[in-house]
Amino acid sequence: MSKFDEKVAQYSKFMDDKGLGYNADLLKAVTKGLGPSIYKRDAETVSGSDAKELETVKKNFLMKKLGLEDGPKLDEAIAKVIEAIGKSERSKYRAVVYYMLAVEFGKESVYGM
């Protein structure tokens, strides 16, 4: 199994353990879109309590990648995803957060789904 496939399996297990339903193909596409950052411990995760980090998720992913307009709906969606994963969960994997946000906004088409 390649390192990439190991990461996808890790994120799949994480979502299974949290009881979060998911489309395996979309999760794989989101993970691939993150490139080499998934292999760096700090870049692989999102800090749910760091306002600067959450602003980066909003600007770089929701606005740039998904093409969404800035507004309170973006912050609400991020908060909803962080809550669904669990605020106390230390490892909020970026691939999982981005996957859930793409689904939340119905933007699976960005990943060819």
Side-chain angles (χ1 to χ4, degrees):
M1 185 183 292
S2 71
K3 284 197 178 295
F4 176 78
D5 290 334
E6 287 174 13
K7 285 294 183 183
V8 172
Q10 178 183 358
Y11 304 147
S12 296
K13 181 181 181 327
F14 178 83
M15 291 186 83
D16 287 338
D17 291 348
K18 294 284 181 191
L20 302 168
Y22 63 95
N23 173 315
D25 291 333
L26 180 59
L27 179 61
K28 190 172 188 173
V30 171
T31 303
K32 188 172 200 148
L34 289 169
S37 69
I38 62 172
Y39 305 110
K40 299 179 184 126
R41 180 77 183 115
D42 188 46
E44 179 187 32
T45 58
V46 171
S47 171
S49 60
D50 182 347
K52 188 174 175 227
E53 171 101 27
L54 298 178
E55 188 65 22
T56 300
V57 169
K58 181 167 82 169
K59 284 195 165 108
N60 292 351
F61 182 68
L62 294 177
M63 293 167 65
K64 283 184 184 173
K65 179 76 175 177
L66 300 186
L68 300 169
E69 293 286 323
D70 194 3
K73 286 196 300 190
L74 302 187
D75 295 315
E76 290 164 12
I78 292 170
K80 179 179 174 183
V81 165
I82 298 297
E83 189 69 40
I85 292 172
K87 286 188 178 190
S88 62
E89 176 61 55
R90 286 187 48 81
S91 297
K92 292 177 191 69
Y93 293 112
R94 189 170 303 276
V96 174
V97 171
Y98 285 13
Y99 169 91
M100 292 175 71
L101 286 168
V103 170
E104 176 74 21
F105 286 104
K107 290 289 194 173
E108 295 91 339
S109 61
V110 170
Y111 293 98
M113 302 289 145

